[in-house]
Amino acid sequence: MSSEIIPVSQHIELRAAEERYTADLHNLVVKNKPWLQTAFDWAQHAGSEEDTRRNVQSNQMLHQRGYAKMFLIFKDDALVGVLSFNTIEPTNKAGYIGYWLDEDHQGQGILSRSLQAFMRYYAERGEIRRFVIKCRVANQNSNNVALRNGFTLEGCLREAEYLNGRFDDVNIYGKIYTL
């Protein structure tokens, strides 16, 4: 089976998560763990490289079945982040997007360009038409990504996600991608 790759630019591409990337992904998570823990509950549970391998394997299975898609963001052949559909609703053609980028690579437009290519790819295939981003109200960077990429704030879910001992409000953004 050949790897699924979404070209973004001359220097950036999205590659479907595969076991061969486990060590690089694990090292990137470990490197970014202090700030990842401020935004994602899963980050505090990131343990061994074997845990990362099991996570990748699980995501590969969900990818193949069409219920989630995990892509790794590569810039000049170096892994710099993750862009995924954490959940896909096939009947509704809706995809719930998650993302994070290595702290050293933020502010360069990598995530926005990747997100645009990702949405275009799935809209052109007719698989997804409604794209959704949920992010904590306090996570201004993530909210800015949604707004910069043409998402509309559809509402705020009160105390919807538990992180670091408290429940946080979560904004929900949507974008209908029409060709």
Side-chain angles (χ1 to χ4, degrees), residues 7-141:
V8 176
S9 71
Q10 182 179 349
H11 297 281
I12 303 167
E13 67 183 11
L14 306 175
R15 300 179 192 170
E18 296 179 1
E19 277 189 72
R20 65 184 166 138
Y21 301 124
T22 298
D24 290 339
L25 179 58
H26 180 73
N27 292 336
L28 194 64
V29 169
V30 169
K31 174 183 180 241
N32 287 276
K33 194 169 181 176
W35 83 262
L36 285 171
Q37 290 176 314
T38 68
F40 304 106
D41 181 63
W42 62 261
Q44 62 190 331
H45 306 291
S48 68
E49 188 173 316
E50 187 55 34
D51 293 335
T52 302
R53 181 178 317 287
R54 282 192 294 273
N55 181 272
V56 168
Q57 289 170 336
S58 173
N59 275 285
Q60 283 181 287
M61 185 179 63
L62 291 169
H63 190 114
Q64 291 167 354
R65 293 181 179 170
Y67 294 112
K69 303 284 182 182
M70 180 181 185
F71 283 86
L72 306 178
I73 304 169
F74 283 82
K75 181 178 184 230
D76 296 323
D77 217 30
L79 177 59
V80 298
V82 175
L83 176 58
S84 63
F85 286 125
N86 295 331
T87 305
I88 294 174
E89 297 174 356
T91 303
N92 296 326
K93 294 187 182 261
Y96 292 77
I97 298 169
Y99 46 79
W100 64 271
L101 197 62
D102 174 53
E103 210 168 8
D104 294 338
H105 289 86
Q106 294 176 12
Q108 301 173 29
I110 295 169
L111 189 52
S112 287
R113 288 193 301 262
S114 297
L115 182 57
Q116 290 296 325
F118 187 64
M119 291 188 299
R120 185 173 47 256
Y121 179 80
Y122 280 99
E124 286 174 353
R125 292 167 57 118
E127 293 179 36
I128 307 291
R129 62 178 293 279
R130 177 173 164 70
F131 297 85
V132 180
I133 294 174
K134 289 176 20 182
C135 54
R136 285 181 174 75
V137 171
N139 186 343
Q140 196 57 54
N141 288 342

